[in-house]
Amino acid sequence: MTERKATALSCANIAFIKYWGRKDHDWRLPLNTSISMNLDNATTTTTVIFDPTLKADQLLIEDTETTPKAALRVTEHLNRIRKLADTYLWARVVSRNSFPMGAGIASSASAFAALTVAACAALDLDLPERELTILARLGSGSACRSIPAGFVEWHAADTSEESFAEQIAPPDHWDLCDLIAIVQTEHKVVDSSKGHELVDPSPFAAARLAAATRGLSVIRKALMARDFVAFGEEVEQEAIRMHAVAMTSQPSVLYWSPETVRILQAVRTWRAAGLPAYCTIDAGANVHVLCESEHAPTLKRQLHTLYGVRDVILNRPGPATRLIDEHLA
Ligand code: PMV
């Protein structure tokens, strides 16, 4: 038997209405529906090789052996795919990111989306996009939103079959830019997977859920109409709501650093002075600053002047997760 190999390239995504908290942790069923955009310049490339000579799965990220915890999560995900393909072959997984891992740029989203698509292709599993999103979701919730192209909605549902992601607008629908201001590249203290489990005791959890549900239609409408101010106001509110829940979880989770707050305040000052930009923040200290493309060069320059900003990554709406011919191994 020969080895079977495929490579996939996937974009990370930034959520405008966030996935924060689950109604079922084992099945990764989210408390609320979320909406995101793929990030064309924050990508993961993953090669999966099912090899009859291997005695266990192997995982290399950025040319380095990973922690047993990360390797186990990948093995568990490969087991789901092996079961579908009816194979027991172990795999070698080689993965590289175009951005710092574990720093709130949703590396798990692009990682599990790329892993899902590459592993399925290597085993000749030809699944429709909807099934791929469900499969990716089981690896990491937000990964389902990295499978389709452009602007994507992930449905909250009571069953796994109904909790899938689908495109709501293609990448060229709106020339929205996401400038990621990198202030921290170290691994975050509490990974998002754990953060979802701590939501319940927050006294703000129910209020945030109600607000996120209302916000969903505001975002959908503003996105479709390309109404940047209505869109940005709601996106920034939602990020603060998510972090208010994290901060009041038990134990409390504080992702922000002084640099995070400095950027939030600077963007408000610039906005008051006529530069249309809004912030959102995932499970980390880095800040995503959203604007329409005409303002991206000015914003990028201004972000670079802020103390503590190490880098700024400019993203536009990205494509779907896709197979490529350039293998990493
Ligand atoms: O998919 P996870 O478990 O890494 O959770 C992602 C959580 C956030 O990035 C904070 C929000 C989101 O919707 O992407």
Side-chain angles (χ1 to χ4, degrees), residues 15 18-20 22 108 140-142 145 192-193 196 242 282-283:
K18 308 284 187 191
Y19 153 49
W20 198 245
R22 311 185 188 104
S108 68
S140 183
S142 57
R145 295 189 313 238
S192 43
S193 218
H196 296 292
M242 182 206 114
D282 273 348

Side-chain angles (χ1 to χ4, degrees), residues 10 124 186 228 276:
S10 180
D124 293 323
E186 301 80 37
F228 184 70

Side-chain angles (χ1 to χ4, degrees), residues 22 89-90 97 116 130 139 160 190 197 275:
R22 311 185 188 104
L89 289 178
W90 296 107
N97 295 303
T116 304
R130 177 174 164 152
S160 183
V190 179
E197 291 171 19
L275 182 60

Side-chain angles (χ1 to χ4, degrees), residues 215-227:
L216 202 62
S217 38
V218 175
I219 294 285
R220 258 194 226 117
K221 206 167 140 212
L223 193 74
M224 289 311 156
R226 302 183 197 91
D227 179 345

